């Protein structure tokens, strides 16, 4: 054995002559031997000296391994073994007996002995005891290493769980602060739009307010959601369109409806969808019904990973006259967000009013993810 210190073997046996043979034989083989003449004395030495158990170190007085005889007055070997096993961090035990009865070996091993061997009165078993003691020490060291590794794994899992919980808390706080900040900006834009005298300024500020509110709504949903990695798109659209209803002047949005399947999507894609819906709905509010309000329908459906979003009105359709004040900003924003989603945007030519279809994948395509990774 390769130890930093001489290992100590406690030999428990009422045969003093055999104990001296064991002492001489194992001392030559690198052990320090302590003799106890009874089970009671052996137990007292173990309790007072300590063992090589985890957390106790390898002090000079500790007992590393025990060789325990079966037949002794008072406590016999099996009774002593049972009490040794009840001691916290007890040293490994090699059970020694003169009996050839294999049932004793089975009983000893089941009771916790590390090994078992048959002795003789001449001491010929001492080389076998040396091998058994070395094996018991190796087995004990492996067991301690396994327990320490398992303890470290559990500690690492606990640390990871604590870090994950802290990260989730921080993400919630970030989403909360970002959502509040964006809502303040949207409110300021609303106040500015309300006080603007020029209609084109009022319209530009109102459009900007809707775009900011679309992003803020995602952050508010992430703050209150159990899952920070996804947004329920149907709930998000309900809240977004409710914001649009409240922000509309008069009753021009009173017939805005939404029908959406329960679909989960990542926050970045939810923001893109929300901004597109905001632009197309506001465009319908402005131009679809020149003489007043009319129905505007938003519908979201899924077929596996393929999602379809439609914004429909029953207004004037292609008969609408181009607004000379229009900058085309809304169309550019829709095109940019559709590109972010890798979506196709189509107009239904058979609808009497205007129906825009947006088709895209629930999750980004693999090539899209690869391109983003390469760009990073």
């Amino acid at each position: 054995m390769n130890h930093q210190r001489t290992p100590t073997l406690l030999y428990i046996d009422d045969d003093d002559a055999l104990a001296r043979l064991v002492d001489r034989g194992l001392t030559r083989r690198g052990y320090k031997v302590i003799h106890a003449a009874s089970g009671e004395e052996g137990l007292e030495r173990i309790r007072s000296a300590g063992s090589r158990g985890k957390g106790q170190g390898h002090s000079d007085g500790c007992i590393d391994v025990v060789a325990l005889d079966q037949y002794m007055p008072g406590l016999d070997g099996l009774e002593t073994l049972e009490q040794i096993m009840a001691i916290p961090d007890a040293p490994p035990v090699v059970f020694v007996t003169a009996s050839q009865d294999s049932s004793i070996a089975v009983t000893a091993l089941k009771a916790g002995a590390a090994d078992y061997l048959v002795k003789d009165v001449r001491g010929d078993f001492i080389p076998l005891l040396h091998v058994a003691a070395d094996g018991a020490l190796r087995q004990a060291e492996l067991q301690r290493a396994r327990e320490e590794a398992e303890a470290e794994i559990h500690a690492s899992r606990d640390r990871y769980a604590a870090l994950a919980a802290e990260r989730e808390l921080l993400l919630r706080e970030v989403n909360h602060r970002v959502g509040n900040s964006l809502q303040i900006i949207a409110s300021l834009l609303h106040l500015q739009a309300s006080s603007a005298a020029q209609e084109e300024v009022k319209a530009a500020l109102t459009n900007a307010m809707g775009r900011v509110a679309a992003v803020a709504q995602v952050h508010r949903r992430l703050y209150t959601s159990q899952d920070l990695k996804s947004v329920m798109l149907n709930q998000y659209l309900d809240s977004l369109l409710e914001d649009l209803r409240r922000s509309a002047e008069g009753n021009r949005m009173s017939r805005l409806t939404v029908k959406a399947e329960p679909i989960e999507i990542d926050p970045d894609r939810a923001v893109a969808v929300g901004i597109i819906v905001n632009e197309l709905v506001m465009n319908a509010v402005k131009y679809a019904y020149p003489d007043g309000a009319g129905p505007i329908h938003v519908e979201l459906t899924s077929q596996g990973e393929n999602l379809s979003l439609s914004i429909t009105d029953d207004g004037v359709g292609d008969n609408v006259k181009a607004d000379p004040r229009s900058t085309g900003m809304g169309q550019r924003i829709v095109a940019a967000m559709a590109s972010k989603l890798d979506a196709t945007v189509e107009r239904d030519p058979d609808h009497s009013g205007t129906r825009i279809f947006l088709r895209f994948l629930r999750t980004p395509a693999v090539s899209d993810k690869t391109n983003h990774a390469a760009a990073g």
Side-chain angles (χ1 to χ4, degrees):
M1 292 293 292
N2 182 21
H3 293 285
Q4 294 180 347
R5 51 176 286 280
T6 300
T8 299
L9 179 141
L10 173 63
Y11 184 67
I12 305 175
D13 192 338
D14 62 331
D15 188 334
D16 291 337
L18 198 54
R20 287 191 293 271
L21 290 175
V22 169
D23 190 350
R24 286 197 298 268
L26 291 186
T27 298
R28 289 197 300 269
R29 292 172 170 84
Y31 277 84
K32 175 183 177 182
V33 178
I34 299 174
H35 176 222
S38 67
E40 292 86 354
E41 183 184 348
L43 287 167
E44 180 59 32
R45 283 185 175 272
I46 293 171
R47 293 190 179 105
S48 62
S51 71
R52 299 174 72 237
K54 59 184 179 180
Q56 292 183 331
H58 291 211
S59 64
D60 290 337
C62 77
I63 293 172
D64 299 283
V65 61
V66 175
L68 175 62
D69 184 37
Q70 161 63 1
Y71 296 110
M72 296 181 294
L75 290 176
D76 67 14
L78 290 174
E79 292 170 333
T80 304
L81 174 62
E82 183 179 350
Q83 293 195 36
I84 292 175
M85 291 297 102
I87 298 173
D89 299 323
V93 177
V94 177
F95 200 78
V96 181
T97 181
S99 173
Q100 299 289 335
D101 187 354
S102 60
S103 65
I104 296 177
V106 172
T107 303
L109 293 172
K110 285 185 175 179
D115 205 346
Y116 171 91
L117 59 88
V118 177
K119 70 174 183 177
D120 61 90
V121 295
R122 297 185 304 275
D124 293 341
F125 73 98
I126 291 174
L128 296 178
L129 178 57
H130 172 232
V131 173
D134 280 357
L137 285 176
R138 283 194 297 270
Q139 182 179 335
E141 288 170 357
L142 288 173
Q143 179 62 28
R144 280 192 297 274
R146 185 183 303 112
E147 291 173 356
E148 289 170 2
E150 289 175 353
E152 179 58 31
I153 289 172
H154 288 309
S156 298
R157 286 175 180 171
D158 290 343
R159 288 194 295 269
Y160 177 79
L163 289 173
E166 182 180 2
R167 178 179 178 273
E168 181 174 328
L169 183 63
L170 290 173
L171 283 174
R172 289 187 187 281
E173 181 63 22
V174 167
N175 283 310
H176 180 55
R177 290 177 180 270
V178 171
N180 281 351
S181 298
L182 291 172
Q183 191 58 50
I184 290 171
I185 294 171
S187 299
L188 292 174
L189 290 170
H190 179 68
L191 290 173
Q192 192 67 43
S194 300
S195 61
Q198 296 177 302
E199 287 301 319
E200 57 268 26
V201 173
K202 185 188 293 290
L205 291 171
T206 300
N207 288 341
M209 179 194 69
R211 292 159 187 158
V212 172
V215 181
Q217 185 65 242
V218 169
H219 287 281
R220 288 204 300 272
R221 295 220 147 265
L222 288 174
Y223 173 66
T224 58
S225 172
Q226 295 297 319
D227 183 4
L228 296 174
K229 297 179 181 178
S230 64
V231 173
M232 291 301 296
L233 199 50
N234 56 317
Q235 297 174 358
Y236 169 53
L237 290 177
D238 281 337
S239 300
L240 179 62
L241 295 178
E242 183 58 33
D243 286 347
L244 289 176
R245 289 190 192 95
R246 286 198 299 267
S247 66
E249 296 181 7
N251 63 352
R252 290 176 61 85
M253 206 85 77
S254 60
R255 299 178 65 185
L256 175 61
T257 61
V258 59
K259 180 181 179 182
E261 297 178 11
I263 294 169
E264 282 188 287
I265 195 171
D266 70 82
D268 287 343
R269 294 170 78 76
V271 167
V273 171
I275 291 175
I276 289 173
V277 169
N278 177 78
E279 296 299 323
L280 294 178
V281 167
M282 292 306 297
N283 189 68
V285 170
K286 291 178 187 177
Y287 305 118
Y289 304 103
D291 300 326
I296 302 172
H297 307 289
V298 177
E299 185 171 359
L300 175 71
T301 58
S302 68
Q303 289 184 336
E305 287 297 304
N306 298 306
L307 304 183
S308 175
L309 176 71
S310 65
I311 295 89
T312 305
D313 66 65
D314 298 327
V316 295
D318 290 336
N319 296 323
V320 64
K321 294 181 179 180
D323 189 338
R325 298 170 297 175
S326 175
T327 63
M329 175 65 75
Q331 293 180 1
R332 292 199 296 273
I333 289 175
V334 169
M337 293 300 103
S339 176
K340 180 180 178 68
L341 291 168
D342 196 20
T344 60
V345 182
E346 300 174 356
R347 179 188 292 266
D348 183 357
D350 299 325
H351 187 67
S352 58
T354 300
R355 175 178 290 149
I356 304 295
F357 282 107
L358 186 77
R359 294 183 175 88
F360 57 99
L361 292 173
R362 187 190 305 259
T363 56
V366 174
S367 59
D368 188 34
K369 292 180 180 177
T370 304
N371 291 337
H372 282 302

